[in-house]
Amino acid sequence: MFTALGLLSILKKLTGDPTNNELRILLLGLDNAGKTTLIRSVAQEDISHVSTTLGFNIKSVKTDGYNLNVWDIGGQQKIRPYWRNYFENSDVLIYVIDSSDRARFEETGEELGQLLGEEKLSGVPLLVFANKQDLINAASASEIAEGLNLHTIRDRIWQIQACSALTNEGIEDGMQWIVKNVRKK
């Protein structure tokens, strides 16, 4: 979905508008992590019928004077090599993890590690959403941070936020972190 707000963002960037409060956010994670449900929750859209993202979705969300243009890219293994086509000009990387899918923690850690090593994402702030905290078997945000060695990240600011895209718990806190900590150059 391409919105008028997204077009306005492109025009402002092309004209160098100094009032530009646009942030380009790249939303990644393995398939079934809850990326699309999360961004639909942020946009206050219906989340009762979310299907697998086979390509990408673009959502523009306005919060605290910022227009957040979120690029939600599918997370299936066959799509992941194409993620790099979306790296350029990203202001923030949001990485979503299914906190209840412990069998895939190693895989999600490897994918995140590869992303953090990408030159085009060098220095880009990282927000990790530890999603699906509403499930009884969910790992805590601190457990995930420890398992992913997030404390060793030195080349960018980062935050991990426990959340549930279904209940909306923790999502606003993560979005507030973006607005408070990420400033356009």
Side-chain angles (χ1 to χ4, degrees):
M1 179 175 108
F2 191 76
T3 65
L5 189 58
L7 180 58
L8 180 61
S9 167
I10 292 169
L11 292 173
K12 282 184 176 182
K13 285 184 180 186
L14 289 175
T15 61
D17 185 341
T19 63
N20 183 1
N21 283 335
E22 301 276 334
L23 292 176
R24 184 177 190 278
I25 299 174
L26 187 58
L27 180 64
L28 299 175
L30 302 186
D31 52 303
N32 201 38
K35 299 176 297 297
T36 302
T37 303
L38 188 139
I39 195 56
R40 283 190 179 180
S41 287
V42 170
Q44 299 178 346
E45 294 179 359
D46 180 23
I47 61 170
S48 61
H49 302 306
V50 177
S51 58
T52 301
T53 302
L54 298 176
F56 67 92
N57 297 308
I58 303 171
K59 293 278 183 212
S60 293
V61 181
K62 196 168 197 159
T63 182
D64 292 335
Y66 279 85
N67 294 320
L68 308 178
N69 295 310
V70 182
W71 291 70
D72 168 17
I73 316 297
Q76 297 86 354
Q77 193 166 22
K78 64 184 178 188
I79 294 177
R80 293 181 214 155
Y82 299 103
W83 284 357
R84 65 181 28 91
N85 295 326
Y86 302 92
F87 293 169
E88 202 158 330
N89 299 318
S90 293
D91 297 308
V92 179
L93 170 61
I94 296 177
Y95 193 79
V96 182
I97 295 174
D98 178 345
S99 301
S100 69
D101 193 355
R102 294 170 187 267
R104 296 183 79 190
F105 282 1
E106 183 176 340
E107 180 183 3
T108 200
E110 289 171 4
E111 290 295 341
L112 179 58
Q114 288 177 14
L115 288 169
L116 296 178
E118 291 284 345
E119 185 177 325
K120 288 184 179 178
L121 292 175
S122 178
V124 172
L126 170 67
L127 172 61
V128 176
F129 271 120
N131 193 23
K132 302 188 182 182
Q133 290 294 309
D134 54 308
L135 299 178
I136 192 119
N137 60 336
S140 68
S142 60
E143 184 180 347
I144 291 170
E146 182 70 27
L148 296 176
N149 294 315
L150 295 181
H151 60 280
T152 63
I153 297 174
R154 303 280 185 249
D155 66 339
R156 69 192 74 225
I157 60 170
W158 64 272
Q159 173 74 15
I160 186 164
Q161 177 65 52
C163 76
S164 168
L166 287 180
T167 66
N168 222 8
E169 186 176 338
I171 295 174
E172 182 63 27
D173 293 333
M175 301 312 281
Q176 290 297 316
W177 179 83
I178 289 173
V179 170
K180 290 177 182 173
N181 292 287
V182 180
R183 301 285 183 237
K184 289 295 283 182
K185 299 170 184 111

